[in-house]
Amino acid sequence: MSLSKIKVATKIMKHSLIATDVYEMWIENKEMAKAAKVGQFVALYCKDGSRLLPRPISICEIDNEEGRLRLVYRVFGAGTKEISCFKEGETIEVLGPLGNGFLTKDKNVSVIVGGGIGVPPLLELCKQLKGEKHIFLGYRDTVFLADEFKAYGDVYIATEDGSVGHKGNVMTLLKEKGLDIDQVYACGPKGMLKALQSYVLEEQIPAQLSVEEKMACGIGACVGCICETNDRTMKNKRVCKEGPVFSAEEVVL
Amino acid sequence: MDLSVKIGSVQLKNPVMTASGTFGSGKEYSEFVDLNELGAVVVKGIASKPWDGNPTPRVAETYGGMLNAVGLQNPGVDHFIKNDIPFLKKFDTKIVVNIAGRTVEDYCEVVEKLSDTEVDLLELNISCPNVKEGGIAFGTQAKMIERVTSEVKRHSKQPLIVKLSPNVTDIAEMALAAEAGGADALSLINTLLGMKIDIHKREFALANKMGGLSGPAIKPVAVRMVYQVAQAVKVPIIGMGGIMNGEDAIEFMMAGATGVAVGTANFANPFATMEVLDGIKGYMDRYGVKDVKELIGLAVGNIEFNCM
Ligand SMILES: Cc1cc2nc3c(=O)[nH]c(=O)nc-3n(C[C@H](O)[C@H](O)[C@H](O)COP(=O)(O)OP(=O)(O)OC[C@H]3O[C@@H](n4cnc5c(N)ncnc54)[C@H](O)[C@@H]3O)c2cc1C
Ligand SMILES: Cc1cc2nc3c(=O)[nH]c(=O)nc-3n(C[C@H](O)[C@H](O)[C@H](O)COP(=O)(O)O)c2cc1C
Ligand code: FES
């Protein structure tokens, strides 16, 4: 019998601060990198045994040649604080890749919308998507990763405090541009996804939204991380298993 | 080395089981561990009809543990029979179905539907803290426990395990009531009612406000309750609550448990069940224990125990 999922000690190849409280971490595991798909996530385990549950973090970039994954995360609470202290060369226990990612549809005009710590998984997406890409990135104040997106399409930035780019949120920026859109991909805070959802549903633009929920097992066993959908046979779907990416028509935010 | 133990009339190849609700119906963890190696798979609580469960957030981490208020979301017994039993039958392990209900009739309906299936044992959940009706409401009064147990027992063809709640003042009294009602075995403990508040956001960590505490944080309470119950009843006990490794499992067995169930540990380590099993074998090797049954209840009523 084949046991297909892995939880392994991966080596931290690179670990550095890239913005206030935001770190990038490159971890090495050939199998995991090979299996990883855009929009999926991994779960990181703390070493401190008082913190039992793994921390879900999206895959920001996949380097298949080197067998590495790039993760970009924000120090949020005690677990990510502990993880941020892990040194290069040390190992970290990782479970994954987990969940269902984005279905890349090579349409003419794709719009990619990211908010805050929802921005990282969109980098690999932009790398893999073909066609014309318009990338809208929204931040509260500090901007990170934005420059790296410029290689893949037109980048529009919005910050809440107006320190960089447009002052306000990505939705107003997106509406202002008045693009003729074939497909939307998004990841970010619930409020942003909600606003985007009502917009794409009204405009009848197909969209895939990556949602977040508090998790325990990360693999579909505990039904802790559900989100409501309008699927009649399975109303409550698991974000870690059926998600985190759902179509805008399906998910109830 | 003999690892086999008996729960009711059912022989398990080893004492390691999964705790209901932490292992789905086995599918997810079968990608990590070989289910053939387990004594039994105890599946998530199943009700007569599909249940949606509670709103999110449903889980929250606490120091050495976690809170959950899943609220027994499950696809219902018909779905379980059609989809999960055929999957589990592919493995050489015993199937234990945890039964959820809002009323006694609910429980009986599930039990009847399972009676002609290949399910080996039933586990009656009268101890879930996360549902308004049923669940814990049945599990905190001795009279009620006896009534529900005997009613369900009348309908069940398979041996019946009754799962007790730790949210009571006298666990032995509840255990005796279940035994009097005809329980073939007891499992304890279910989760302890708990709460977490985010002081910065000034909100409850769980949408349900309160939830069930599990994980290593509750282990001493669980060991104590297994010990107390082992002194009071004759039926076998399945011990659970914070078992992370073989040593924890041995501790439960010495306190009086015949079987052990691994719950929250699966989330912290998907290989936990296998590591518990290996740990038990390692302990037996180290101390020259030939039969795991020798360990059961060593601490119960044994004056020599403290002098080893
Ligand atoms: C699918 C998915 C992908 C994610 N991708 C990223 C990413 O790429 N970069 C990033 O910075 N963050 C990401 N997050 C959020 C990240 O998981 C949390 O910030 C992190 O778990 C917080 O852990 P902590 O110990 O610092 O916080 P604490 O509040 O101390 O954590 C306590 C518990 O709550 C859980 N928890 C807290 N916040 C969240 C959350 N938002 N989502 C899920 N569980 C949570 C923790 O995992 C832990 O079990 C993602 C979340 C999900 C669900
Ligand atoms: C997420 C979750 C879901 C659970 N669901 C059930 C359930 O459906 N039925 C039940 O009897 N117990 C349920 N339990 C309780 C466990 O089976 C077990 O009794 C408890 O978690 C203590 O063991 P542990 O500390 O090893 O997890 C659940 C526990 C958790 C953490
Ligand atoms: S976190 Fe357990 S089902 Fe998603």
Side-chain angles (χ1 to χ4, degrees), chain A residues 4 50 52-53 55 223 236, chain B residues 28 31 52 58 61 64 268:
Chain A
S4 48
S50 70
L52 297 171
L53 305 176
R55 271 57 182 165
V223 275
N236 286 338
Chain B
E28 288 79 16
E31 297 190 63
D52 286 337
R58 288 178 171 186
E61 194 182 62

Side-chain angles (χ1 to χ4, degrees), chain A residues 41 213-226 238-241, chain B residues 28-29 59 267:
Chain A
F41 64 100
E213 193 48 68
K214 287 269 174 21
M215 294 182 176
C217 69
I219 62 163
C222 73
V223 275
C225 68
I226 58 99
R238 296 163 297 185
V239 172
C240 69
K241 188 86 180 174
Chain B
E28 288 79 16
Y29 283 104
V59 290
F267 307 156

Side-chain angles (χ1 to χ4, degrees), chain B residues 47-97:
Chain B
S48 58
K49 305 230 159 44
W51 287 16
D52 286 337
N54 291 326
T56 58
R58 288 178 171 186
V59 290
E61 194 182 62
T62 59
Y63 196 91
M66 65 175 279
L67 290 165
N68 92 81
V70 167
L72 294 178
Q73 175 175 334
N74 77 89
V77 66
D78 295 330
H79 181 277
F80 174 79
I81 292 172
K82 194 157 160 265
N83 297 283
D84 296 305
I85 295 180
F87 169 79
L88 287 166
K89 278 320 285 179
K90 291 194 277 189
F91 301 91
D92 175 28
T93 185
K94 301 295 178 200
I95 307 172
V96 184
V97 179

Side-chain angles (χ1 to χ4, degrees), chain B residues 220-243:
Chain B
V221 178
V223 173
R224 182 264 292 179
M225 288 191 163
V226 168
Y227 174 77
Q228 288 179 315
V229 169
Q231 289 172 301
V233 301
K234 296 197 178 60
V235 294
I237 296 166
I238 301 160
M240 70 200 76
I243 296 178

Side-chain angles (χ1 to χ4, degrees), chain B residues 118-244:
Chain B
E118 292 174 285
V119 165
D120 299 289
L121 284 150
L122 304 172
E123 182 181 61
L124 182 63
N125 180 7
I126 49 167
S127 43
C128 178
N130 296 323
V131 288
K132 282 205 191 69
E133 306 122 320
I136 203 165
F138 288 120
T140 48
Q141 288 166 287
K143 271 208 189 77
M144 195 61 136
I145 294 177
E146 184 174 344
R147 217 199 87 207
V148 180
T149 306
S150 63
E151 191 67 24
V152 173
K153 177 74 187 162
R154 276 204 306 128
H155 290 79
S156 70
K157 281 199 187 144
Q158 292 94 337
L160 185 67
I161 306 163
V162 175
K163 184 158 178 180
L164 300 177
S165 167
N167 303 302
V168 295
T169 42
D170 186 352
I171 191 72
E173 185 193 348
M174 307 302 150
L176 282 165
E179 190 181 45
D184 298 288
L186 300 173
S187 53
L188 55 143
I189 58 174
N190 208 316
T191 53
L192 284 153
L193 197 56
M195 178 183 277
K196 177 176 176 175
I197 296 169
D198 184 331
I199 59 161
H200 303 290
K201 289 191 193 151
R202 303 189 180 195
E203 63 188 29
F204 296 102
L206 298 173
N208 204 41
K209 295 180 187 162
M210 289 185 245
L213 181 65
S214 62
I218 70 168
K219 200 187 85 180
V221 178
V223 173
R224 182 264 292 179
M225 288 191 163
V226 168
Y227 174 77
Q228 288 179 315
V229 169
Q231 289 172 301
V233 301
K234 296 197 178 60
V235 294
I237 296 166
I238 301 160
M240 70 200 76
I243 296 178
M244 301 293 281

